[in-house]
Each structure stands twice: as C-alpha cells, then as structure tokens.
Amino acid sequence: MHTTGEPTRIVYSGFPELHGTLLEQRALTRSHYDYIRRSLIYEPRGHRDMYGAILRPHTELVDAGQAHMGVLFLTHEGYSTMCGHATIAISRLLVDCTDTALFPRRDELLFDEEKKEVEVRLHVPCGLVRATVPAIKSSDSGNWCADTTRTIHYLSVPSFAAGIGLSVPIPPSLRWPNLGDRENVIVDVAYGGAFYIVLPASALGFSPSLAHPDIAALSDATKKLRAAFNASAELRSYLRHPDHEDLQFLYSVFVTEPGRGVPAPESAGAETGLCFFADQQVDRSPTGSGVQARVALAVEKGERKLGQCWTYHSIVSNAYGGKGGFTGTPVEETEIGGRRGVRVRVSGWANYTGFGTFVVEEGDEVGGGFSLEQLQQFSPV
Ligand SMILES: O=C(O)[C@H]1NCC[C@@H]1O
C-alpha cells in the first residue's frame, strides 16, 4: 500500500512463528529473521526508501483483548517503533480483510452504524494505537469495506516535547558546507512514538523554503547533525522514555517550513516538512509520528490549543496540490512519566498498490537482498 506515496509492504502470511511480547518478537526478528527484512526492503525487491510491516496476530495486548492486531515496522535500517503512515494503511487493510485465517480477531471489529466507521486497535512497539476507518456496509451481504471518500484517523501513544531550544555543538569533522562559520545548531526534540529532532531548514544554514529542497545536501547535513547530537551524553539524556529503554533513541531529523502548503478546510494553518529517518530514508508522506511530535512541540510552546487542527504536508502532497496532506489535532492533555504529554489525532489516506508473493530461490545470494550503499562501503565494487 502507499500513504501519500510512502510505501508499506505488509507481510500478512508466511512469516515464521514468533512467541512472546511484541518487543520480544521484535528482538527475535532482528536476531534470527533479519534476512526476511533484507529480502523485502533491500534491492532487488525493494530500494533505499522502502518501508514494511509484519502483522503479528498474537501479542500480549492482542491476547488480552485490548488490540486486534500486532505490528512490527521495517525500515532500511531495522525496526522502528511507531509509524503513522503504515498505521493508516494497515488499519484500512484490516477493515477490508474478511479472511479470519489472516486476521483472527476480525469478528471483534464493530461497525458503528451511526458514524459509519470501524475502530481498529493496533499493538505497535511503542504501545496501543486506535485507528478509526470510515466504512460502507453492503445491504445485501452485511459486509463492510473502507470508505475511501473520508480520511482514516488514529490516536497514538502520548506525545511530548522532550527539549526546546537545545544547542548542538558541531565538531569540525561533522560540519557541512551550508553551516558557514556557525559552531552550534539550535534544535527542538519531541517524542511521537519515536524521538524526533525538529528544526527549520534555516537553522541548518539552508534557505527557509522547502519549495525546491536540495535533498542530498539536507540529507548530508541532517546525518551530521544527528551524529553530533548522539556524540553528546548530555543531549542524549533528553531521549528519555519512562516506559521502555527500547524507545530511547533518535529516530529522525525533521526539517520544517512553517506556513508552506494548502490548509485542509477544517484546519487553521499548514506547514511542510521533510523527514529523514532511520539511516536517512526520506519519507514521502507527511510522517504521522513526526506530526505527533510537532503538535506536542506546538502545544508546549503555546502555539496550538487543544482541538486546533493543523495541516502537515510533505513535498509529495505539496506537488499534488495538497492532496495527501495529514492533519494533526491535539485532543487531550495527558501525563507521561511525570511530564506533560498530549494525545494527537492524525488523519490521512492510504491506497493499495498490489498483492503479491515474494520468493528467494535457494542459492540466490544476491537475491537475498543487498543495499548498494552498504556494498560500496564494505566490499570492493
Ligand atoms: O508516518 C510515520 O510515522 C512514518 N513514516 C516513515 C517514518 C515514520 O516512521
């Protein structure tokens, strides 16, 4: 499927059996079955910016009846903890799926006759996500399917601002050309199921406009900024999560341009962002978990009130006249580990791109998956 152009290759059958909690399944997948991620995400089946997900029908929350399905997320680098664009895609898929062998808790989904929607609860590595999928019911069969004329929305785990106006010292070995003679970059850090650095392009020494971004140069700058941030124990201490240390890492640098893009009719304003995540993948979608992080920052800074809806664009949604932009609305203040958090409602669309079966033939070493970049780094080419 894709969400504003960002792919989600969804594994719903054929994955080896896994037991334990979702985080244990994630660890086991990483240690024993990483070859499956590489075969689906790397070339020749995938590419540098491919994204995937594995459905997990048994997790502690699914078995306790709190979630309908568990999900592991796959990136070019490894296994992420939250993904808004994939949540939107997978919840639509599950509403459309009538096969209980693939989706054992299918019969527990409820069609809300009044609102004409179905709630799907997903257990993802950062916690429980509640998605609401608009649906249409057939009067003949009584079956429903997703109604693609309305947006899907989800409420994820609490988001929070972890640090505002932090100064990141950039050592000489990590400077990039646009930095000029600056020695520090000022960033905000926020959590939206994963930790994000958020900053305007101008803070990196680039033009503030993301109308025609130099993606390669921004990728180089954000990669170096991330390395400089991670080099400081004091700055890393801002990546603290009260629940689980698996969640305590910097996932992404999000470069933003406030004001750019067409606001959705129900929203009070718009902005555009360019998200570099994992090992510098570029998100084509407006990045649901990053929207959560950016809304939490806006609330913390007093720029956004509860209930105020805002539109978030990517360079792809802007290129299509605003179609595919997400909206983000802070709906509830909450507390997380003694600090102020906010629940953010994110909405967007997802579409199917196809259904398929992948094979890796025995003895096909190249076809097991390769990353051109890693080959260049580690092997003679
Ligand atoms: O929408 C999101 O949250 C995701 N898209 C790719 C990077 C993030 O995990």
Side-chain angles (χ1 to χ4, degrees):
M1 299 182 78
H2 82 93
T3 312
T4 321
E6 180 68 3
T8 310
R9 182 160 277 173
I10 304 164
V11 179
Y12 55 78
S13 172
F15 200 79
E17 220 169 281
L18 297 175
H19 300 283
T21 64
L22 184 66
L23 289 179
E24 285 164 358
Q25 294 184 37
R26 180 170 177 257
L28 199 66
T29 302
R30 197 199 300 267
S31 60
H32 285 67
Y33 303 114
D34 197 49
Y35 66 91
I36 299 179
R37 178 186 66 84
R38 293 196 301 269
S39 68
L40 292 171
I41 301 294
Y42 287 6
E43 296 182 55
R45 293 170 198 77
H47 53 77
R48 184 70 190 73
D49 293 304
M50 178 53 81
Y51 199 99
I54 304 169
L55 301 189
R56 302 305 316 141
H58 290 287
T59 73
E60 66 278 29
L61 293 190
V62 176
D63 294 343
Q66 292 176 41
H68 298 112
M69 180 62 88
V71 183
L72 294 175
F73 298 123
L74 311 178
T75 67
H76 187 267
E77 179 186 52
Y79 301 85
S80 66
T81 54
M82 173 59 203
C83 180
H85 90 269
T87 291
I88 291 169
I90 292 166
S91 45
R92 174 172 175 201
L93 173 73
L94 291 177
V95 164
D96 289 342
C97 174
T98 51
D99 187 342
T100 51
L102 304 178
F103 181 17
R105 294 208 170 238
R106 152 86 194 178
D107 293 343
E108 291 172 20
L109 294 186
L110 294 175
F111 181 78
D112 182 326
E113 298 282 351
E114 203 180 310
K115 295 182 178 159
K116 309 244 175 301
E117 58 190 30
V118 178
E119 186 193 60
V120 182
R121 295 191 300 273
L122 299 178
H123 182 193
V124 305
C126 69
L128 187 67
V129 177
R130 292 164 184 271
T132 303
V133 182
I136 334 173
K137 195 170 181 179
S138 143
S139 46
D140 298 338
S141 66
N143 272 339
W144 62 66
C145 65
D147 172 2
T148 54
T149 63
R150 294 179 283 154
T151 54
I152 293 170
H153 60 260
Y154 72 81
L155 271 184
S156 180
V157 294
S159 302
F160 58 86
I164 291 178
L166 305 179
S167 174
V168 183
I170 313 292
S173 61
L174 288 175
R175 301 218 170 124
W176 53 91
N178 288 58
L179 191 63
D181 50 17
R182 292 174 228 211
E183 293 182 355
N184 296 281
V185 170
I186 306 299
V187 305
D188 294 337
V189 175
Y191 179 81
F195 280 97
Y196 282 82
I197 281 181
V198 180
L199 81 176
S202 54
L204 294 164
F206 287 75
S207 142
S209 167
L210 289 178
H212 303 286
D214 182 341
I215 295 177
L218 281 166
S219 177
D220 175 56
T222 53
K223 186 177 176 179
K224 288 174 172 156
L225 172 67
R226 190 208 291 233
F229 184 97
N230 279 331
S232 155
E234 193 198 328
L235 289 170
R236 281 200 315 275
S237 73
Y238 285 90
L239 310 176
R240 218 173 322 108
H241 194 280
D243 293 344
H244 212 289
E245 62 181 36
D246 268 34
L247 305 172
Q248 301 186 157
F249 66 97
L250 183 58
Y251 179 51
S252 161
V253 178
F254 215 145
V255 182
T256 61
E257 185 191 350
R260 173 167 298 282
V262 182
E266 68 277 21
S267 69
E271 51 190 84
T272 291
L274 183 54
C275 170
F276 297 92
F277 68 97
D279 56 0
Q280 297 302 105
Q281 282 183 240
V282 177
D283 198 346
R284 275 61 172 162
S285 87
T287 316
S289 50
V291 165
Q292 293 170 232
R294 286 158 69 190
V295 170
L297 281 168
V299 170
E300 189 65 32
K301 291 178 178 181
E303 296 166 358
R304 201 75 45 81
K305 292 200 275 295
L306 282 190
Q308 199 176 8
C309 174
W310 211 258
T311 302
Y312 292 86
H313 285 292
S314 64
I315 52 175
V316 173
S317 66
N318 276 343
Y320 285 84
K323 179 118 183 70
F326 288 0
T327 63
T329 312
V331 292
E332 183 194 4
E333 274 203 18
T334 174
E335 192 247 85
I336 167 158
R339 67 166 83 213
R340 197 156 78 115
V342 67
R343 279 201 192 269
V344 182
R345 183 184 192 264
V346 177
S347 71
W349 272 279
N351 290 90
Y352 292 100
T353 51
F355 298 86
T357 304
F358 290 104
V359 297
V360 181
E361 287 189 279
E362 214 173 306
D364 180 11
E365 225 182 301
V366 173
F370 65 90
S371 151
L372 204 57
E373 207 172 330
Q374 289 171 12
L375 285 186
Q376 278 175 308
Q377 233 172 313
F378 302 118
S379 325
V381 279

